[in-house]
Amino acid sequence: MEWLQINYNYLLVIVLLMIGLWAMIGKNNLVKKCIGMCIFQNAIIMFFISMGVKAGSTIPILNYTKIDGVKTYLTEASMYANPLTQILMLTAIVVGVATLGMALTLVQKIYSEYGTCEEDEILEKLN
Amino acid sequence: MSQSIVSFTPLAIVLTSALAVIPISLSGRNPNLRELWTFLAGFLKLMLLFSLLEPVTKGIAVQFELWKVLPGVSLHFSVDAFGLLFAFVACSLWIPTSLYVIGYMRGLKEHAQTRFFACFALALSATAGVAFAGNLLTLYVFYEILSLSTFPLVAHHQDGEARTGGRKYLTYLLATSIGLVLPAMIITYQMTGTLEFSSMGIYGDTVKPGTLLVLLLLFLYGFAKSGLMPLHSWLPGAMVAPTPVSALLHAVAVVKVGVFCNLRVITGIFGIEILSKTYLDTVICVIAGVTVIVSSLIALSQDNLKRRLAFSTVGQLSYIILGAGLAQSYAVKGAMLHISMHAFGKITLFMCAGAIFVASGKKYISQMVGLGHKMPFTFGAFLIGSLSVIGLPPAGGFISKWLLLKGTIAAEHWPMMVVLLGSSLLNAAYFFPIVYQAFFGKGILPENENVKEAPLACTLPLCLTAVISIVLFVYPEPFLTLATLAVGE
Amino acid sequence: MKVLSLIIALVMGALLTVILDDLPAWGDAQSPANAHVSAYYLENAYKQTHVPNVVTAVLADYRGFDTMFETGVVFVAVIGIMAILRREGVPKGAKSRKRPPHQPPDPAITGVATRFIVPFMQIFGLYVIAHGHYSPGGGFQGGVILGASVILMAMTGELKSALNRMSEDWFIIMVGLGFLIFAGVGLACMFYGGNFLDYSALAPLFSGTPQEAAITARYHAMLWVEIGVGFTVMSSMFAIYTYLASDGWMDRGL
Amino acid sequence: MEQQYPVLIVIIPMFTAMVLTLAGWFKPAVCQPLAVVGLLGSFLSAVATLLQIGAGEVISYRLGGWEPPFGIEYRVDSLNALVLVMVSLVALLVAIFARKPVEKELGNKISNFYTLFVLLVTGLLGMTITGDAFNLYVLLEIAALTSYALLAMGRGRAYMATFNYVILGTIGACFYLLGVGLLLIKTGSLNMADIGTILPKLVGSETVLVAFGFLMVGVWIKMALFPFHGWLPNAYTYAPTATSCLVAPLMTKVSVYIMLRIMFTVYSADWIFNVIQWKPVVMVLAVVAILMGSFFALAQRDIKRMLTYLIVAEIGYMVGGAWTGTAAGLTGTIYHIMADGLMTVCLFMVIGSVVYRKGKAHFESFKDAFQSMPWTMGALIIGGLSMIGVPPTCGFFSKWYLISGAYQSSDYAFIVALLISSLVNAILFIRIVETAFFSATPSEIPDPHAHHEVDYADSPVSMLIPMWVSALALIAMGLYTGEIVTRWILPILPGGLI
């Protein structure tokens, strides 16, 4: 139980990863595959973000104090969440959007070509 | 070799015929000009070869490094007596064969003659390259070029049979060279760090006999052009080629290249001494001996003349390997000499087969009854060729077989002596009936009544080679000297 | 296939579960991921760039090269979707009427509401781009908001009316232009003798001591770069929507 | 200027792509020349970089001027310099080659095609040159997205084939990203060389091992190693001619390069071959890939499809060579990355020419091709010889090193697989050449000796020139093997190999 409490964020990510991967490979409907892809990518994003969390920290925008009217920024690293993982995931989100757009484009083309989004029906029509 | 000089001549010899391909292909529309190029290249090549004779007979190796490809291995030529001997055989036969090709191709109005001549010249270059190769890699390179350049020649007729034969030909040769020689070569390089030929062998004493045996088998069968059984069946298959191809390539260039490679590997990579120390020479003898006997027996049963000649070739090639396997100086000398003697004899026979085909259209021995009277020159030459291949005087083949026999006696290798003698009898058994039937057989086929001799361009070369066969009996010195030098006496 | 995919997913899950104990505890400020490189950013970003939003500083400067290609990814998506989806024969600028016209529902309420919202959205988008140095925001976020405002127009009214505001010519040019602004800033740094995207090389453009000028240069260049990102993202969002929604015909939306 | 060459390799094609979009939107005719100019610039920069590198040296280029590991770094040693030269050369050749086929097949999408083309090359070059694991991911995605779009331009069955590639490619990329994430969580760094210095302190960490697994599976999916190869043949077969010419030689080779980087820069040879015991498994995969690719190739009637299966086999060569754990095997892999890139592009251009002239690349299309397209067939022969491994083409020497390596590490199954695959290649090319050479059978046409005339209709010069450059490069590379190996490959082989 304690183990679950400590690791629940990772476990959640793992469950999402499994769902996503399973849907990507195993689902018959192409749109569901795309949804699986989305879940998979978002699970990775969550993984990265949760690795950058520091207990009791705030967003990585520096706070300041005014000493004699002069702004002094506080640069104690443990005060702020990890900016690096957030940046990486900003990129990963954009990549995810682009990939999803491309996949949906193809689904649209396939649908107008074969009139269906079910993989087995398409394969039947191909042969 | 103690001494060596650097010279462009080996490269020039290899390149003469390769470069001749360009004018040959360009002058495709003017056949006379095209063939002029062939002859020019042929004579030029021969003259260049003569210029090498002097240094080589003095025991000086002529070297030329072409290119450094890998660290420690380069493509380079090194001409020694054995290589020169082989190059002489190949080049001197190119000229009569070319003459014969002209007669044959024009007589039958064959298609794609330009392609034929171009590939022919390229094949000759590759043969010279093999003869002069200074290390295993160079040997391998030219061996492959030869396989590839002769493929269009074998499949020349372009019909179903030719395609099957050609496919079989190339598949056998490439499969063995890539599948067997290449790994053997790489393993050798990994073990020794060199691929240069050396009369002492390059393996040294550290390699285990088991490994040596595997390598030996890889090399022997890898150079499948030598037609050791059971990898011989491409050779009869390749007989679908036009007869001049069979003549030059399958009596001289291709198969002799295979044998030459085997000899080079046995003498230059393994070294005779190591072989006899590890009793691997016996392995070679057994393989070759079996091939000799079996192929002779098969030849007896063939009715197609070219196939019979092909199986005869398989047997004769193994004589040469057997000679090397005896690991005895007489026998090795005999083996080297047999390359040239058999070449002259067999090319005569093939040309005769072609001439018979041109004149009468007959391929089968049973249809040639009584043709001797119609084509006396052809069948006369056939007789001489047969004598040479069987090893009877007054033809050159006698000398080489004699040396081989002497080798078996000196090595006290009695079973092999029996093999040699027995197979000579078999040779006689499959050649003499042809000649006998042609001259004395009764019942000439009705359609053969009006047959005349083949065109002069066909008949002349075969008479020429037949005469040379006899001359070589009387005066074998040129080749004998080189062979003696090569053995190192 | 279903069983196989289940097995694959389970194997992956099992592998990741096995290593859980080896991973640092959640929220550990001293874990390697939070200590080694990222701490350097937090401690030095303000000193070196004068941008208190560390995310923006790292995004646009320390790892600016990544971000440039991130813009590139969006750019690629637009070009790629256009290449696949755009119908042959649709003239440039999209004035084709090959498909039968389609009567949209009367946008009486949504249209008015949209017309009311869109200006505020766009102002907010611009603010998010411009204020990214000090608060959460930046080119991507602002660009998406701007793009969403145009898409909202296209969804409530006709695609045509949105295309009249922002034609195909325009969004293709803007997609390329935004990327070009970002990369151009990088190239300018090279002309001033620095490495690619080394904004401090632009110091001669700014006043102050060399050190201060370099910091100011970084500060400003980051803003330019974010504006470029904003251009690309805004127009690419709309472009992707347009091609997908009209199935490449460019005449009507959903 | 000299120190800027590394970045120029990547940003020249990138700027070209932007200019292409803007210029091509209004005037498509300028696209191809612009693309050629851009790629030429990139190629020259790559050559200049290669020549700058001394034995065993590493050029480090700091993007944004930040010192690694805080900023992104370009690290060029002679390994990736060689790959860069190969990639940019192949791209340049295909750009020249593409003019006619693109006009014919993709008439109204020329500007899109060249933009994506140049961006794909940008992505591949960026992947090769970068020293940052996450930057690699971004460029991997750029290359992937462009290749999806380029492949899907083939229409018809291409859409479904590409969709499968999108799904699998995304899985591959995500696995890679997950692997990077696991490394980040343990090391806190994204710079490959930096991770490489931290990892030895983490011996025994399961996370590091699992991360290696994810990274490997990710790149294996990307390079289509057996059993992850399913997407490749369809995707490449139905693609437009010019696309397959570019994608087929480059995508898989760059993935192999990435595998080498991960194995020997991020992780270490010592860890891979002495600590974890994966070698037998991977060798089995490589051997099966070679055999399966070869046998499937044997069964194809469409030559383009046949070549795609040969690519699967060649991947087995490279993976196997790297995993022998010997210096010779790794040399063979690195050498083969370049050799195979050139071979594949040469053969795909030949097939492209045949498709351009005859509409299809079935065996039947090759009938009489020797009379009608002699130059194209000449290039086919050289490419085929290199595939088979006939000296002095470079295919022979890569096999030489691969077999040497396998011999040293006693991987005899790998040797046998290599030899079998050579033989299968031989059979395949003999079949094609036979059809092209001897299909006009005199005995099957009424008058056997009539002169059989076939109209001369060889490919346009703009297609022949790149084709022959690549063919001659195969021979030149073979002849300069010793030079390449001693000057550039041997100095960078990692320690810890046999």
Side-chain angles (χ1 to χ4, degrees):
Chain A
M1 201 60 216
E2 198 189 350
W3 183 79
L4 277 181
Q5 251 170 7
I6 297 170
N7 290 314
Y8 76 93
N9 62 318
Y10 292 127
L11 285 170
L12 193 68
V13 166
I14 291 170
V15 170
L16 283 176
L17 280 175
M18 280 159 65
I19 294 173
L21 189 65
W22 172 70
M24 270 168 105
I25 307 175
K27 281 290 174 190
N28 194 26
N29 188 303
L30 300 187
V31 178
K32 285 184 184 165
K33 283 188 181 222
C34 293
I35 295 172
M37 194 163 92
C38 232
I39 297 175
F40 195 63
Q41 283 172 334
N42 285 327
I44 295 180
I45 290 167
M46 286 173 69
F47 172 68
F48 269 82
I49 295 299
S50 74
M51 108 176 52
V53 171
K54 296 173 191 166
S57 67
T58 176
I59 55 167
I61 295 172
L62 302 178
N63 291 331
Y64 58 88
T65 52
K66 275 200 175 148
I67 302 168
D68 304 334
V70 181
K71 270 190 192 173
T72 312
Y73 283 94
L74 305 168
T75 56
E76 178 59 43
S78 61
M79 280 171 65
Y80 310 102
N82 186 342
L84 181 62
T85 55
Q86 301 192 7
I87 289 141
L88 301 183
M89 285 313 104
L90 200 55
T91 309
I93 291 168
V94 173
V95 168
V97 169
T99 318
L100 187 66
M102 194 64 80
L104 286 175
T105 308
L106 286 167
V107 173
Q108 209 172 64
K109 272 287 169 190
I110 291 169
Y111 186 77
S112 60
E113 192 101 345
Y114 303 107
T116 171
C117 279
E118 303 292 324
E119 200 177 6
D120 48 359
E121 290 173 26
I122 296 168
L123 291 178
E124 235 166 66
K125 289 191 182 179
L126 280 176
N127 294 323
Chain B
M1 289 292 172
S2 49
Q3 276 181 298
S4 64
I5 51 168
V6 175
S7 155
F8 277 106
T9 323
L11 180 65
I13 292 172
V14 173
L15 282 184
T16 357
S17 44
L19 292 180
V21 170
I22 298 165
I24 288 175
S25 348
L26 288 180
S27 50
R29 294 185 188 281
N30 184 350
N32 290 331
L33 182 64
R34 180 182 68 201
E35 270 108 32
L36 178 70
W37 288 115
T38 306
F39 282 112
L40 270 182
F43 279 110
L44 185 60
K45 207 170 171 127
L46 206 57
M47 273 159 57
L48 287 169
L49 271 176
F50 272 111
S51 75
L52 282 179
L53 203 54
E54 198 217 324
V56 171
T57 44
K58 281 186 192 153
I60 301 168
V62 182
Q63 307 266 5
F64 182 74
E65 186 173 56
L66 195 58
W67 201 276
K68 261 196 147 41
V69 277
L70 292 171
V73 185
S74 56
L75 289 180
H76 82 107
F77 295 126
S78 168
V79 186
D80 62 357
F82 184 30
L84 194 61
L85 180 145
F86 181 53
F88 256 116
V89 174
C91 295
S92 55
L93 283 173
W94 189 27
I95 297 166
T97 319
S98 302
L99 186 62
Y100 179 78
V101 168
I102 296 167
Y104 183 90
M105 298 296 263
R106 294 195 182 172
L108 290 179
K109 296 198 181 62
E110 284 279 351
H111 64 119
Q113 293 190 12
T114 308
R115 181 180 79 198
F116 189 88
F117 278 101
C119 289
F120 216 86
L122 200 58
L124 248 292
S125 276
T127 311
V130 169
F132 295 155
N135 62 17
L136 201 50
L137 185 69
T138 320
L139 189 80
Y140 184 78
V141 170
F142 285 103
Y143 182 89
E144 295 284 36
I145 294 176
L146 182 62
S147 307
L148 295 166
S149 61
T150 46
F151 171 62
L153 298 177
V154 173
H156 183 79
H157 285 310
Q158 306 193 352
D159 51 10
E161 198 192 358
R163 263 180 291 183
T164 319
R167 199 180 302 156
K168 194 173 187 182
Y169 175 78
L170 202 52
T171 312
Y172 261 78
L173 295 188
L174 280 184
T176 47
S177 65
I178 294 173
L180 304 175
V181 177
L182 181 61
M185 188 160 73
I186 292 174
I187 292 170
T188 304
Y189 181 66
Q190 290 294 326
M191 290 197 306
T192 62
T194 177
L195 292 173
E196 303 296 312
F197 296 127
S198 146
S199 58
M200 301 306 293
I202 60 173
Y203 287 119
D205 300 329
T206 49
V207 182
K208 280 184 236 129
T211 320
L212 275 187
L213 174 66
V214 173
L215 286 172
L216 180 70
L217 290 178
L218 286 177
F219 277 123
L220 274 187
Y221 284 114
F223 292 113
K225 285 191 176 114
S226 61
L228 279 177
M229 286 193 174
L231 292 178
H232 66 285
S233 67
W234 63 269
L235 183 55
M239 287 303 146
V240 296
T243 311
V245 177
S246 314
L248 181 67
L249 300 177
H250 303 131
V252 186
V254 173
V255 291
K256 292 292 156 51
V257 162
V259 172
F260 179 83
C261 292
N262 274 339
L263 250 58
R264 266 280 191 245
V265 168
I266 290 170
T267 56
I269 297 290
F270 287 92
I272 300 279
E273 282 167 38
I274 290 184
L275 284 180
S276 51
K277 218 187 293 171
T278 49
Y279 301 105
L280 288 175
D281 51 347
T282 323
V283 176
I284 302 175
C285 285
V286 170
I287 294 171
V290 169
T291 309
V292 167
I293 298 292
V294 175
S295 64
S296 302
L297 287 172
I298 297 175
L300 268 179
S301 66
Q302 299 295 323
D303 190 31
N304 184 327
L305 180 56
K306 278 175 74 182
R307 282 182 71 85
R308 186 176 286 194
L309 291 178
F311 276 105
S312 157
T313 306
V314 173
Q316 299 291 325
L317 295 173
S318 291
Y319 275 43
I320 299 166
I321 297 173
L322 197 151
L326 286 170
Q328 201 284 328
S329 67
Y330 280 123
V332 175
K333 195 157 70 175
M336 291 176 178
L337 208 53
H338 201 59
I339 288 183
S340 56
M341 297 306 182
H342 173 249
F344 284 98
K346 196 42 88 37
I347 202 167
T348 313
L349 292 173
F350 270 111
M351 286 180 182
C352 291
I356 297 168
F357 182 68
V358 170
S360 67
K362 294 289 173 272
K363 286 184 188 168
Y364 294 98
I365 295 163
S366 52
Q367 297 168 332
M368 294 175 188
V369 179
L371 269 181
H373 298 291
K374 308 283 177 193
M375 313 174 68
F377 283 105
T378 308
F379 276 93
F382 194 92
L383 176 65
I384 296 168
S386 316
L387 290 177
S388 185
V389 172
I390 299 164
L392 289 177
F398 171 74
I399 297 175
S400 51
K401 281 219 178 157
W402 178 250
L403 282 170
L404 281 171
L405 267 181
K406 249 168 104 177
T408 56
I409 296 167
E412 303 186 347
H413 232 308
W414 310 118
M416 289 304 132
M417 195 173 97
V418 176
V419 167
L420 278 179
L421 291 174
S423 78
S424 293
L425 280 179
L426 287 172
N427 293 350
Y430 60 70
F431 277 134
F432 282 150
I434 304 173
V435 185
Y436 180 83
Q437 288 287 323
F439 279 112
F440 309 112
K442 295 278 182 297
I444 186 167
L445 289 177
E447 68 263 30
N448 283 352
E449 287 293 347
N450 298 323
V451 170
K452 292 196 194 67
E453 282 281 2
L456 188 63
C458 277
T459 328
L460 190 64
L462 63 90
C463 292
L464 189 66
T465 51
V467 170
I468 293 175
S469 280
I470 295 176
V471 169
L472 282 177
F473 173 70
V474 188
Y475 182 68
E477 265 68 24
F479 290 124
L480 200 58
T481 322
L482 285 173
T484 315
L485 264 174
V487 175
E489 282 173 0
Chain C
M1 205 62 200
K2 290 224 153 149
V3 181
L4 181 70
S5 60
L6 202 61
I7 294 171
I8 295 173
L10 286 175
V11 167
M12 185 192 66
L15 274 180
L16 286 170
T17 318
V18 165
I19 59 166
L20 279 185
D21 291 335
D22 192 39
L23 295 180
W26 188 35
D28 178 7
Q30 299 310 316
S31 72
N34 292 339
H36 180 41
V37 178
S38 87
Y40 174 88
Y41 295 141
L42 289 168
E43 281 156 14
N44 296 298
Y46 187 75
K47 221 172 5 184
Q48 290 167 340
T49 63
H50 278 188
V51 176
N53 184 350
V54 185
V55 174
T56 303
V58 180
L59 186 81
D61 195 350
Y62 291 92
R63 298 190 69 87
F65 194 64
D66 263 356
T67 312
M68 187 182 77
F69 279 110
E70 194 182 338
T71 322
V73 168
V74 181
F75 178 77
V76 168
V78 173
I79 304 288
I81 291 172
M82 179 169 129
I84 301 172
L85 219 48
R86 197 172 190 282
R87 300 283 165 165
E88 291 170 25
V90 177
K92 281 177 198 162
K95 299 270 191 288
S96 153
R97 285 209 172 273
K98 273 198 174 176
R99 285 200 297 178
H102 152 84
Q103 213 52 46
D106 183 20
I109 299 170
T110 49
V112 172
T114 308
R115 240 175 288 159
F116 182 70
I117 294 174
V118 162
F120 289 102
M121 281 177 81
Q122 292 181 337
I123 296 274
F124 180 63
L126 290 174
Y127 166 80
V128 167
I129 295 179
H131 211 258
H133 283 29
Y134 292 96
S135 62
F140 285 99
Q141 296 86 333
V144 169
I145 294 169
L146 287 173
S149 71
V150 188
I151 292 176
L152 191 65
M153 284 200 291
M155 282 171 85
T156 52
E158 258 284 61
L159 184 62
K160 282 267 146 196
S161 58
L163 275 174
N164 284 340
R165 304 280 161 104
M166 190 171 181
S167 71
E168 199 181 10
D169 281 342
W170 267 108
F171 65 64
I172 293 298
I173 290 173
M174 278 169 69
V175 167
L177 194 66
F179 194 10
L180 201 58
I181 290 175
F182 200 140
V185 172
L187 199 63
C189 303
M190 279 173 82
F191 282 120
Y192 277 94
N195 277 357
F196 188 68
L197 284 175
D198 183 356
Y199 306 139
S200 61
L202 298 175
L205 296 176
F206 299 93
S207 56
T209 62
Q211 211 155 9
E212 275 171 21
I215 293 172
T216 323
R218 288 207 182 99
Y219 184 89
H220 284 273
M222 265 189 249
L223 183 63
W224 303 338
V225 159
E226 295 276 12
I227 290 169
V229 172
F231 265 101
T232 301
V233 172
M234 175 184 82
S235 39
S236 65
M237 286 303 127
F238 181 57
I240 293 175
Y241 170 80
T242 311
Y243 289 125
L244 274 174
S246 70
D247 197 15
W249 290 105
M250 314 286 294
D251 50 0
R252 58 163 199 256
L254 294 171
Chain D
M1 187 60 193
E2 291 77 38
Q3 74 273 17
Q4 301 290 349
Y5 286 144
V7 79
L8 285 179
I9 301 174
V10 179
I11 62 170
I12 289 178
M14 187 186 74
F15 276 102
T16 313
M18 295 172 211
V19 176
L20 271 177
T21 324
L22 300 179
W25 180 249
F26 298 104
K27 198 168 166 54
V30 299
C31 285
Q32 197 254 358
L34 269 177
V36 170
V37 170
L39 292 171
L40 183 67
S42 175
F43 172 63
L44 293 179
S45 316
V47 172
T49 312
L50 178 67
L51 295 178
Q52 268 181 358
I53 297 173
E57 271 177 20
V58 177
I59 296 181
S60 168
Y61 182 90
R62 297 169 177 189
L63 285 151
W66 300 108
E67 68 177 310
F70 309 111
I72 293 168
E73 184 194 16
Y74 271 179
R75 280 179 80 84
V76 195
D77 55 16
S78 48
L79 167 59
N80 50 5
L82 281 176
V83 180
L84 286 169
V85 169
M86 189 275 283
V87 171
S88 51
L89 173 65
V90 168
L92 176 63
L93 292 178
V94 178
I96 299 170
F97 175 85
R99 183 178 191 95
K100 298 269 176 174
V102 170
E103 272 172 20
K104 191 175 175 187
E105 292 172 26
L106 307 167
N108 55 347
K109 291 181 174 172
I110 293 178
S111 75
N112 286 343
F113 176 83
Y114 285 108
T115 309
L116 291 168
F117 182 104
V118 176
L119 275 168
L120 173 57
V121 179
T122 312
L124 293 170
L125 292 169
M127 275 155 89
T128 312
I129 197 171
T130 189
D132 189 279
F134 192 79
N135 189 241
L136 200 158
Y137 168 74
V138 178
L139 284 149
L140 182 89
E141 285 292 358
I142 289 216
L145 284 167
T146 45
S147 64
Y148 302 151
L150 284 171
L151 293 170
M153 284 164 99
R155 54 198 84 175
R157 300 184 73 161
Y159 296 130
M160 195 59 208
T162 311
F163 185 80
N164 281 332
Y165 178 30
V166 172
I167 293 291
L168 269 168
T170 309
I171 295 180
C174 286
F175 274 15
Y176 176 83
L177 185 57
L178 205 53
V180 172
L182 290 172
L183 283 181
L184 176 65
I185 213 170
K186 290 306 277 188
T187 64
S189 181
L190 290 169
N191 185 294
M192 292 195 210
D194 190 37
I195 299 176
T197 58
I198 299 173
L199 276 187
K201 298 169 201 150
L202 298 169
V203 176
S205 163
E206 296 144 8
T207 314
V208 172
L209 181 66
V210 172
F212 184 66
F214 275 111
L215 292 171
M216 280 295 124
V217 175
V219 289
W220 286 342
I221 291 175
K222 279 279 170 192
M223 73 170 83
L225 176 70
F226 173 87
F228 313 110
H229 64 282
W231 57 270
L232 187 140
N234 278 335
Y236 288 5
T237 307
Y238 301 121
T241 303
T243 304
S244 44
C245 287
L246 181 73
V247 175
L250 296 185
M251 287 295 272
T252 50
K253 309 305 166 292
V254 172
S255 307
V256 173
Y257 159 79
I258 293 169
M259 183 185 79
L260 298 183
R261 262 291 167 238
I262 295 171
M263 283 170 72
F264 300 114
T265 302
V266 178
Y267 290 83
S268 65
D270 179 56
W271 186 80
I272 286 169
F273 296 110
N274 299 330
V275 179
I276 60 169
Q277 299 299 326
W278 288 19
K279 188 188 152 185
V281 182
V282 183
M283 286 313 270
V284 168
L285 292 185
V287 168
V288 176
I290 295 174
L291 296 179
M292 208 214 50
S294 300
F295 288 127
F296 272 86
L298 212 48
Q300 305 305 323
R301 298 294 299 168
D302 185 331
I303 309 287
K304 199 170 169 190
R305 203 173 169 78
M306 181 195 98
L307 283 184
T308 61
Y309 278 106
L310 287 186
I311 294 178
V312 174
E314 302 280 325
I315 292 299
Y317 283 30
M318 289 179 264
V319 174
W323 279 82
T324 53
T326 58
L330 187 56
T331 309
T333 300
I334 296 170
Y335 185 82
H336 198 62
I337 288 178
M338 294 177 295
D340 194 40
L342 288 173
M343 279 190 294
T344 320
V345 78
C346 175
L347 290 171
F348 267 90
M349 287 200 274
V350 169
I351 304 299
S353 303
V354 174
V355 173
Y356 181 74
R357 278 288 179 225
K358 317 230 164 164
K360 264 192 286 189
H362 280 271
F363 264 104
E364 293 74 44
S365 328
F366 280 80
K367 241 179 181 172
D368 287 332
F370 251 102
Q371 278 97 335
S372 56
M373 316 174 74
W375 288 99
T376 311
M377 290 299 119
L380 172 81
I381 289 184
I382 297 178
L385 290 182
S386 186
M387 269 295 191
I388 299 169
V390 176
T393 55
C394 53
F396 172 78
F397 296 101
S398 51
K399 249 163 227 165
W400 174 281
Y401 280 107
L402 290 172
I403 294 179
S404 299
Y407 171 73
Q408 285 169 4
S409 65
S410 310
D411 291 302
Y412 297 113
F414 184 57
I415 299 183
V416 173
L418 280 176
L419 295 175
I420 289 179
S421 132
S422 304
L423 297 183
V424 171
N425 290 354
I427 294 171
L428 291 172
F429 284 99
I430 291 172
R431 273 207 322 219
I432 301 178
V433 169
E434 205 183 84
T435 323
F437 233 131
F438 305 125
S439 52
T441 57
S443 58
E444 283 159 26
I445 50 177
D447 179 7
H449 298 306
H451 198 48
H452 189 74
E453 275 294 345
V454 179
D455 287 336
Y456 176 89
D458 212 328
S459 343
V461 181
S462 69
M463 295 164 84
L464 283 177
I465 289 175
M467 198 188 299
W468 270 88
V469 170
S470 66
L472 294 178
L474 290 176
I475 297 175
M477 194 179 149
L479 290 175
Y480 282 103
T481 304
E483 189 81 351
I484 293 172
V485 168
T486 43
R487 173 145 182 215
W488 286 307
I489 298 184
L490 290 181
I492 42 145
L493 292 181
L497 295 170
I498 304 168

